[in-house]
Amino acid sequence: MQKLHTLLEKIEQRSEHYIGYPTSIDYNYEELYPFLNYSLNNVGDPYLESNDMHTKEFEREVIEFFSKLFNAPADNHWGYVTNGGSEGNLYGLYLARELYPNGMVYYTESTHYSVQKNIHLLNMDSIVIRSQANGEMDYDDLEVTLQMNRHRPVIILANIGTTMTEAKDHVPTIKECLKKYAIKSSYIHCDAALAGVYLSLLGDHSFDFENGADSIAFSGHKFLGSPITCGVVLVRKSYKDRIGKSIPYIGTLDTTISGSRSGINALIIWYSIQKWGEEGLLKRAQACIENAHYLAEELNQIGVKAWYNQNAFTVVFPKPSPAICKKWQLATENEIAHIICMPGITKEKLDEFVVDLMPVATLSMYAIGL
Ligand SMILES: *Cc1c(COP(=O)(O)O)cnc(C)c1O
């Protein structure tokens, strides 16, 4: 058991400097701990009963809450609690492939690494579209590429918050491109892993079902916060109905990617909605945006060129020294690094980071003659 203690100590220590990855840290799920004594399994379709040891009623409430938030058609939506954003993206692409076996997937070079793997698993054809400097899709490049492949159905994997810069591909602009080239068959999946929930709360509905999404996936352990990785995928129900097989052994329809699914995850997401409420979640999001602006300003003041995309928690800046990247567990890509101002990360913590960065920044200011 000593080994466990050592692990816990290390985790406690490292969590002090965990600002490079998008996990909220302000949650408390102690009320759910008694449920950990049971093997709760939401196997199969959440809208169909299975055995009794499950939390599907709560899962359905979760799906209904987010279907409303993302303006899914009242009589044509479906979804389930996944093991994370990647599984939700896999599900969206899977539905798209079942609808359009000859479809071509378009996604930008800023897309999360899991998407390429998903496309490979599904054996789909795909084309990578260029990104603009801020990480958003280059729509001119999309147009050119669409033109060359207009005989095939189009499957768009839109990023609603890219991994490095939290850029959003603009779904209405994408729809316009599709219209311009008279594309008859198309499907749009929105990877909203980090940002989907708070963008909707903040009033950005540009990627929701009313604006052209056919499916949306997000992670539960990011903005909402969860000790167990989880997520939600939402789809138009009529699409889902084309794929489910009835499995007598589990007494339900096999409409999900993983068979057994944790009943705890549904409880966690449900609890988070109950605890914060829509208003509380919105306030929490606004505080994060404010923190991101604060951090960027502090960094700019010490000569570090920091920037952010609109409504983003992510602050992007030039990659600092390896020692700082290691200490603060910063994710880096090429010449940039980022900090994601997630719920629970305080201004004091951000100050601590800025102070750490200061000597280096001051030096570089001297170097460029300021
Ligand atoms: C985190 C993330 C994913 C993957 O989600 P997981 O929950 O880690 O599986 C996919 N896309 C984007 C943009 C992400 O931020």
Side-chain angles (χ1 to χ4, degrees):
M1 293 298 130
Q2 181 53 40
K3 201 163 174 174
L4 278 181
H5 288 296
T6 314
L7 173 66
L8 185 58
E9 262 173 32
K10 184 180 147 199
I11 290 171
E12 279 167 357
Q13 248 174 25
R14 297 303 281 146
S15 71
E16 287 293 304
H17 296 113
Y18 199 65
I19 56 176
Y21 291 89
T23 47
S24 297
I25 52 171
D26 61 345
Y27 56 78
N28 182 334
Y29 293 108
E30 274 170 37
E31 248 185 282
L32 299 180
Y33 289 0
F35 292 97
L36 289 175
N37 291 311
Y38 302 95
S39 299
L40 300 172
N41 192 337
N42 289 10
V43 64
D45 195 302
Y47 287 82
L48 299 169
E49 288 307 312
S50 37
N51 61 47
D52 284 339
M53 297 291 276
H54 64 73
T55 66
K56 287 188 175 181
E57 190 188 332
F58 292 74
E59 182 175 13
R60 290 193 289 267
E61 284 188 28
V62 165
I63 299 306
E64 294 308 317
F65 177 86
F66 290 108
S67 294
K68 249 197 210 111
L69 185 66
F70 294 130
N71 288 316
D75 54 354
N76 186 18
H77 63 261
W78 183 87
Y80 73 95
V81 171
T82 61
N83 293 294
S86 310
E87 183 186 337
N89 288 341
L90 178 61
Y91 198 76
L93 289 168
Y94 171 45
L95 283 194
R97 192 200 63 182
E98 293 307 290
L99 283 171
Y100 302 118
N102 186 37
M104 171 80 84
V105 186
Y106 299 76
Y107 64 96
T108 73
E109 53 187 331
S110 310
T111 301
H112 189 263
Y113 65 87
S114 66
V115 168
Q116 225 169 349
K117 178 178 59 189
N118 288 342
I119 288 171
H120 188 63
L121 282 170
L122 291 165
N123 197 22
M124 297 167 94
D125 287 337
S126 64
I127 298 185
V128 179
I129 304 296
R130 249 184 257 139
S131 298
Q132 303 176 44
N134 72 340
E136 181 177 349
M137 181 180 282
D138 178 334
Y139 306 104
D140 294 336
D141 195 39
L142 175 68
E143 281 201 14
V144 172
T145 320
L146 277 178
Q147 238 173 326
M148 292 189 301
N149 300 280
R150 52 194 298 185
H151 56 291
R152 294 181 68 170
V154 174
I155 299 167
I156 304 270
L157 189 295
N159 290 309
I160 309 304
T162 58
T163 319
M164 270 321 277
T165 66
E166 211 184 317
K168 288 77 141 176
D169 299 338
H170 195 241
V171 174
T173 306
I174 294 171
K175 295 273 294 184
E176 261 167 49
C177 294
L178 297 176
K179 204 166 155 202
K180 185 165 165 190
Y181 293 102
I183 307 282
K184 278 201 234 51
S185 305
S186 64
Y187 185 104
I188 300 181
H189 173 78
C190 292
D191 174 5
L194 164 65
V197 175
Y198 56 80
L199 281 177
S200 281
L201 291 166
L202 290 162
D204 177 357
H205 299 290
S206 59
F207 63 93
D208 73 10
F209 286 91
E210 269 180 5
N211 282 295
D214 292 298
S215 49
I216 300 178
F218 67 87
S219 309
H221 54 283
K222 291 183 177 171
F223 175 61
L224 297 174
S226 166
I228 305 169
T229 58
C230 59
V232 170
V233 64
L234 298 168
V235 307
R236 293 182 191 271
K237 181 169 178 293
S238 47
Y239 297 164
K240 185 273 307 186
D241 288 340
R242 301 173 61 134
I243 62 157
K245 280 198 191 74
S246 174
I247 309 290
Y249 172 66
I250 54 170
T252 184
L253 276 184
D254 186 26
T255 44
T256 53
I257 288 196
S258 40
S260 288
R261 294 182 299 110
S262 155
I264 298 288
N265 288 348
L267 286 187
I268 286 174
I269 299 178
W270 182 89
Y271 187 86
S272 155
I273 299 169
Q274 298 300 313
K275 183 169 167 214
W276 300 108
E278 231 177 287
E279 193 61 27
L281 286 172
L282 170 62
K283 284 204 178 109
R284 207 160 147 261
Q286 285 164 336
C288 294
I289 302 268
E290 192 193 306
N291 279 353
H293 293 183
Y294 172 81
L295 174 63
E297 204 174 299
E298 296 288 293
L299 287 173
N300 284 325
Q301 265 172 19
I302 63 164
V304 174
K305 289 195 163 49
W307 59 277
Y308 47 80
N309 277 305
Q310 196 188 359
N311 280 334
F313 291 4
T314 306
V315 177
V316 188
F317 48 90
K319 183 162 79 182
S321 72
I324 292 209
C325 290
K326 184 154 188 289
K327 175 174 172 185
W328 292 93
Q329 296 165 76
L330 300 185
T332 62
E333 191 181 275
N334 301 322
E335 288 318 303
I336 61 170
H338 67 202
I339 283 178
I340 311 179
C341 299
M342 296 301 289
I345 293 173
T346 59
K347 284 202 171 70
E348 289 71 35
K349 187 66 69 188
L350 300 173
D351 286 342
E352 210 186 306
F353 172 76
V354 173
V355 168
D356 256 6
L357 213 55
M358 219 177 260
V360 181
T362 318
L363 276 177
S364 66
M365 279 165 78
Y366 282 122
I368 59 169
L370 288 171

